[in-house]
């Protein structure tokens, strides 16, 4: 019988691969789920695309500011336990752009899709705080358009980020997939870099497709992590 607690205790390097389900308990909607953030929007993939940013930066800005930012959101027990575990021996590779892993104190985090709270000017590449961006997406000094440092639809993942993710996954002897249905590529493809002898486990409410031999802990990740002693 597979026991997550024991597996974590015995592992030398634990890598978590996480998605939106980790942050929903912090009040951040999962925009891909039914009834999620964009249920009433026409085309969220266009709204969050590089094409939209380039062609209609005002629309892009309005959409992002109205739908994506939850600066008051706090890390939940999943973030906290993952931070404790990975600060000792591991890494978090997340699809989330909310920065909650770092807020929870995690030091070894690969933000695969970037971070909403990192803002830069596309013209001069100077950085700004997100409060400035919430008010305006124009850098007055040079007229440049500000944007969050996240991967938009139509943009590639930063190669250094891909390398860091592959490194974290290929060195793990325990891989824990949490809060992601694991259908979005290239993120889902990262599991292919796991060592053949690595233990792979998914914590998710619904069963998800996993490599052969992987373990499934079916249930609410909040409940599962609340019980972990780390
Ligand atoms: Zn500028």
């Amino acid at each position: 019988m597979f026991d997550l607690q024991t597996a974590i205790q015995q592992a030398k390097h634990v890598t978590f691969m996480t998605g939106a389900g980790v942050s929903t308990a912090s009040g951040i909607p999962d925009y891909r789920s039914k009834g999620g953030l964009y249920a009433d929007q026409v085309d969220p993939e266009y709204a969050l695309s590089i094409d939209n940013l380039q062609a209609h930066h005002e629309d892009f800005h309005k959409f992002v500011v109205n739908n994506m930012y939850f600066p008051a959101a706090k890390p939940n027990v999943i973030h906290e336990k993952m931070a404790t575990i990975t600060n000792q021996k591991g890494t978090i590779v997340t699809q989330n752009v909310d920065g909650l892993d770092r807020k929870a104190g995690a030091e070894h985090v690969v933000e695969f899709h970037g971070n909403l709270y990192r803002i830069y000017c596309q013209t001069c590449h100077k950085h700004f705080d997100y409060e400035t961006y919430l008010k305006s997406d124009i850098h007055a000094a040079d007229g440049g358009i500000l944007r969050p440092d996240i991967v938009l639809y139509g943009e590639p993942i930063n190669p250094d980020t891909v390398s860091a993710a592959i490194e974290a996954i290929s060195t793990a002897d325990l891989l824990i997939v949490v809060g992601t249905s694991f259908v979005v590529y290239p993120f889902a493809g990262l599991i292919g870099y796991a060592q053949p002898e690595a233990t792979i486990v998914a914590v998710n409410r619904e069963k998800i497709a996993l490599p052969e031999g992987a373990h499934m802990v079916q249930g609410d990740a909040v409940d599962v992590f609340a019980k972990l002693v780390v």
Side-chain angles (χ1 to χ4, degrees):
M1 182 70 190
F2 178 76
D3 180 56
L4 185 58
Q5 176 79 45
T6 308
I8 290 169
Q9 275 161 352
Q10 290 175 347
K12 291 189 179 72
H13 189 109
V14 184
T15 293
F16 290 93
M17 299 177 73
T18 69
V22 167
S23 291
T24 46
S26 293
I28 296 175
D30 174 5
Y31 68 85
R32 285 195 179 84
S33 74
K34 218 177 168 186
L37 184 54
Y38 308 132
D40 54 354
Q41 297 285 344
V42 183
D43 187 356
E45 296 206 0
Y46 181 73
L48 284 173
S49 69
I50 184 64
D51 291 347
N52 191 32
L53 173 61
Q54 285 173 348
H56 317 282
H57 72 86
E58 285 155 337
D59 293 349
F60 176 87
H61 181 240
K62 196 175 160 198
F63 182 87
V64 171
V65 168
N66 288 341
N67 295 289
M68 302 287 286
Y69 283 88
F70 298 87
K74 290 187 177 63
N76 61 58
V77 67
I78 312 171
H79 298 106
E80 285 160 4
K81 298 260 169 104
M82 289 195 304
T84 304
I85 295 162
T86 55
N87 284 354
Q88 292 165 18
K89 51 173 186 181
T91 316
I92 300 165
V93 181
T94 186
Q95 298 171 87
N96 298 337
V97 292
D98 52 43
L100 288 180
D101 292 302
R102 291 190 197 280
K103 255 195 196 175
E107 290 158 15
H108 312 139
V109 186
V110 179
E111 291 171 321
F112 201 66
H113 292 158
N115 187 318
L116 270 177
Y117 296 88
R118 246 183 353 246
I119 306 293
Y120 67 92
C121 170
Q122 295 186 100
T123 300
C124 68
H125 297 277
K126 192 179 167 223
H127 281 77
F128 293 80
D129 52 38
Y130 79 91
E131 289 97 335
T132 304
Y133 181 65
L134 293 185
K135 287 180 216 136
S136 167
D137 69 339
I138 307 287
H139 181 202
D142 61 11
I145 308 296
L146 308 184
R147 62 165 287 178
D149 192 3
I150 60 172
V151 179
L152 301 176
Y153 288 99
E155 286 187 314
I157 313 279
N158 178 314
D160 291 341
T161 305
V162 175
S163 300
I166 291 172
E167 165 84 15
I169 287 153
S170 61
T171 53
D173 54 346
L174 176 60
L175 272 164
I176 305 177
V177 178
V178 196
T180 172
S181 50
F182 231 45
V183 292
V184 179
Y185 281 83
F187 186 80
L190 289 171
I191 198 107
Y193 291 95
Q195 295 173 35
E197 63 274 24
T199 300
I200 300 175
V201 49
V203 181
N204 208 56
R205 218 190 282 266
E206 286 101 37
K207 270 194 182 150
I208 61 171
L210 286 168
E212 211 183 315
H215 304 275
M216 182 78 223
V217 176
Q218 218 172 331
D220 189 323
V222 167
D223 299 335
V224 173
F225 277 74
K227 285 187 198 123
L228 285 180
V229 180
V230 297

